[in-house]
Amino acid sequence: MPHNTITAWPARELSRAIHARRVGCVEVMEAFLAQAERLNPTFNALVSGVHREALLQQAVQRDQELSGGMSRGWMRGFPHAPKDVTSVAGLPTTQGSPIFKSHVPDSDSIVVERMRQAGAIFIGRTNVSEFALGSHTYNPVFGTTLNAFDKNLSAGGSSGGAAVALALRMVPLADGNDMMGSLRNPAGWNNVVGFRPSYGRVPVWPVKDLFLQQLACEGPMARTVGDAAALLATMAGHDTRVPFSIKEDPGPFRQSLDWEHKGARIGWLGDLDGYLATEAGLIDTCAAALKHFESIGCVVEPVRVDFPMAQLWRAWLVFRGLLSGNVLAPLQADASCRALMKAEALWEVEAARGYTAADVYEASVVRTAWYRTLGTLFERYDFLVLPSAQVFSFNAQQAWPQDIAGRAMDTYHRWMEVTIHGTLGGGPVLSVPGGFSANGLPIGLQILGRAQADLAVLRIGHAYEQASGFSAIRSPALT
């Protein structure tokens, strides 16, 4: 079968083809490796690659097992590259930092463990921003990952390698983690899907702190919402090692997402009534995509949110400093490591030192008020929608946008403020393709739902995807 046919299949269709013996795991592996060999030298999405012969041997084993009636799971034979921040036994986990360039874990994280059990074959890692900080994937270990639609531009981050590998069909699925849009912005900038699940939906382990860390999560990326839901079903589910993980059967995520949405109420948040600085044309592009919700019977209304957004940003800085800064502090304290850390990482450590226990408490009070505000909004609307980023993709040589529409960005991540509202809400947020700029650059839409209403968000995202047709638009590199 032609390689371009195999790599073009949606993941669930690929799984059915493998299990029906219409295509073998060796053939699948060869197809995706050929795609990576052709495109990865230019776009730099995959790193720490495993030797080809070792991968083909694993694929042979999967074919032999299937011939013997053994099916490990729906991802049997899938070439997969976990994000380079999550532990994979036997593969380097560098976090994009020269400090960990030679670090090789001896055990899997929970999500990797579950994907391995489902039959995935790990071919390497997807590239990340250093320490997963910032929404632009570049680091001193592997270099810069380039946008799938324009190789001169940023891929977004920190799951930029995952998004580009998906968009260019080097892998059938991808995983990532998300604190400040790391699953959402790169998905939007590369015309794929990224899903930030509800807090506790996907258990995160190993971690040093199980109780304070409530902002970062792990989740799926895919070329379609249905494929993302199928991977979520593999990643999700309670684990006794993680006390706040949700005790709910993830099986429904594997089922059809078809659903009737006539009369569903969509609240359009836009740029939060001018509070968020946005690049010219971005709001218009996203607003034009709202007609696809209307085409499936939804009612779309603009929403003005009565909340002091400056206070929410301040709360975000406290939480971010508390969590990121303190994780990095031991490295910053070591002079040899400090010399190898980027300025933004050092900034996080210094910021953390300036916050008091009273600051943390006040930030939690503000977050609680924001959650209540969302609850009030969800009494009127079924879903809330806003852009996945405040700018279209920028030059890959630029570290981060210094200003947007004449408004200075006072931190390295202020230009991604649009993502904190979903994160601090604790509920599911789905990034779906939201259209293209006048220059052909993709942007995404974030769909926010009530806490633990992950399936409902996936269903509305699936219906929107079918109506818009944006997911079918391919990178020019594939033509």
Side-chain angles (χ1 to χ4, degrees):
M1 185 173 294
H3 284 177
N4 60 355
T5 299
I6 294 173
T7 58
W9 275 333
R12 291 168 300 163
E13 184 175 345
L14 176 63
S15 178
R16 289 190 291 269
I18 290 172
H19 284 83
R21 309 295 295 279
R22 289 190 284 121
V23 64
C25 295
V26 170
E27 194 175 0
V28 169
M29 182 61 70
E30 288 177 333
F32 281 99
L33 290 181
Q35 188 79 336
E37 288 164 2
R38 182 171 73 90
L39 295 174
N40 199 55
T42 298
F43 291 90
N44 195 37
L46 300 175
V47 297
S48 299
V50 177
H51 289 302
R52 180 186 183 89
E53 288 308 312
L55 295 173
L56 291 175
Q57 287 175 8
Q58 292 183 64
V60 167
Q61 182 184 22
R62 296 291 194 277
D63 281 332
Q64 291 172 341
E65 290 171 350
L66 194 58
S67 296
M70 174 184 173
S71 175
R72 294 186 182 220
W74 83 284
M75 294 177 71
R76 162 177 294 281
F78 276 26
H80 192 83
K83 184 176 176 179
D84 193 15
V85 293
T86 188
S87 295
V88 181
L91 288 184
T93 302
T94 76
Q95 301 181 55
S97 167
I99 298 170
F100 297 107
K101 185 175 182 179
S102 301
H103 174 59
V104 179
D106 56 10
S107 62
D108 290 337
S109 67
I110 290 176
V111 293
V112 169
E113 180 181 278
R114 290 176 173 178
M115 290 186 292
R116 192 188 296 274
Q117 291 171 350
I121 299 174
F122 301 128
I123 64 172
R125 312 305 299 267
T126 50
N127 201 23
V128 298
S129 52
E130 186 177 342
F131 297 119
L133 297 176
S135 198
H136 177 20
T137 299
Y138 70 97
N139 63 68
V141 182
F142 298 112
T144 304
T145 298
L146 304 176
N147 190 286
F149 281 74
D150 187 329
K151 61 184 178 182
N152 297 303
L153 305 181
S154 168
S158 60
S159 306
V164 173
L166 268 174
L168 297 182
R169 301 178 178 178
M170 302 183 205
V171 289
L173 293 166
D175 63 87
N177 58 359
D178 185 298
M179 178 183 279
M180 197 176 181
S182 288
L183 281 162
R184 292 167 276 166
N185 183 45
W189 278 3
N190 292 280
N191 204 49
V192 296
V193 173
F195 184 61
R196 177 189 168 90
S198 291
Y199 171 63
R201 179 69 64 190
V202 176
V204 180
W205 178 268
V207 290
K208 289 184 178 180
D209 165 50
L210 280 169
F211 297 97
L212 291 179
Q213 175 59 271
Q214 294 185 15
L215 299 184
C217 69
E218 294 182 327
M221 301 183 82
R223 290 193 290 271
T224 69
V225 176
D227 283 353
L231 181 54
L232 178 65
T234 298
M235 303 171 79
H238 179 69
D239 189 289
T240 57
R241 292 169 288 184
V242 184
F244 299 133
S245 55
I246 296 173
K247 290 186 176 180
E248 186 177 289
D249 178 16
F253 297 122
R254 299 186 183 92
Q255 298 171 7
S256 172
L257 296 178
D258 291 341
W259 199 257
E260 174 58 59
H261 289 96
K262 187 175 182 179
R265 297 161 299 175
I266 305 290
W268 167 235
L269 300 179
D271 61 2
L272 299 178
D273 200 34
Y275 170 78
L276 296 172
T278 55
E279 182 177 345
L282 189 143
I283 292 297
D284 289 342
T285 299
C286 292
L290 300 177
K291 68 179 182 292
H292 300 297
F293 287 107
E294 295 174 337
S295 74
I296 59 174
C298 298
V299 177
V300 181
E301 296 177 0
V303 181
R304 183 170 185 174
V305 183
D306 184 17
F307 194 88
M309 292 300 175
Q311 288 186 23
L312 193 66
W313 175 249
R314 166 68 180 175
W316 173 262
L317 290 178
V318 173
F319 282 126
R320 174 93 176 193
L322 171 72
L323 300 171
S324 297
N326 283 294
V327 167
L328 295 169
L331 299 177
Q332 189 268 356
D334 183 323
S336 61
C337 292
R338 184 167 61 249
L340 298 173
M341 297 170 70
K342 69 178 181 178
E344 292 82 358
L346 298 175
W347 180 87
E348 292 284 3
V349 176
E350 291 302 320
R353 289 176 176 158
Y355 299 129
T356 66
D359 291 327
V360 175
Y361 176 75
E362 180 58 29
S364 189
V365 170
V366 172
R367 184 185 183 188
T368 300
W370 172 242
Y371 180 78
R372 290 173 177 165
T373 297
L374 284 175
T376 300
L377 289 171
F378 283 129
E379 290 176 3
R380 181 175 178 183
Y381 299 103
D382 298 296
F383 307 97
L384 300 172
V385 176
L386 71 169
S388 62
Q390 290 163 236
V391 296
F392 293 105
S393 182
F394 52 83
N395 191 299
Q397 302 304 311
Q398 183 180 359
W400 45 275
Q402 302 293 312
D403 69 86
I404 302 175
R407 290 161 62 176
M409 299 292 101
D410 53 359
T411 72
Y412 77 97
H413 48 20
R414 189 65 181 258
W415 62 279
M416 285 300 297
E417 186 174 358
V418 70
T419 66
I420 72 170
H421 310 89
T423 297
L424 291 173
V429 189
L430 177 67
S431 178
V432 290
F436 296 81
S437 72
N439 297 326
L441 299 180
I443 191 67
L445 290 179
Q446 296 182 80
I447 304 174
L448 283 64
R450 297 176 178 85
Q452 299 194 26
D454 301 56
L455 185 57
V457 169
L458 290 165
R459 283 171 171 165
I460 188 72
H462 170 70
Y464 162 86
E465 176 183 73
Q466 299 302 302
S468 72
F470 290 141
S471 294
I473 299 175
R474 304 187 306 166
S475 159
L478 297 175
T479 58

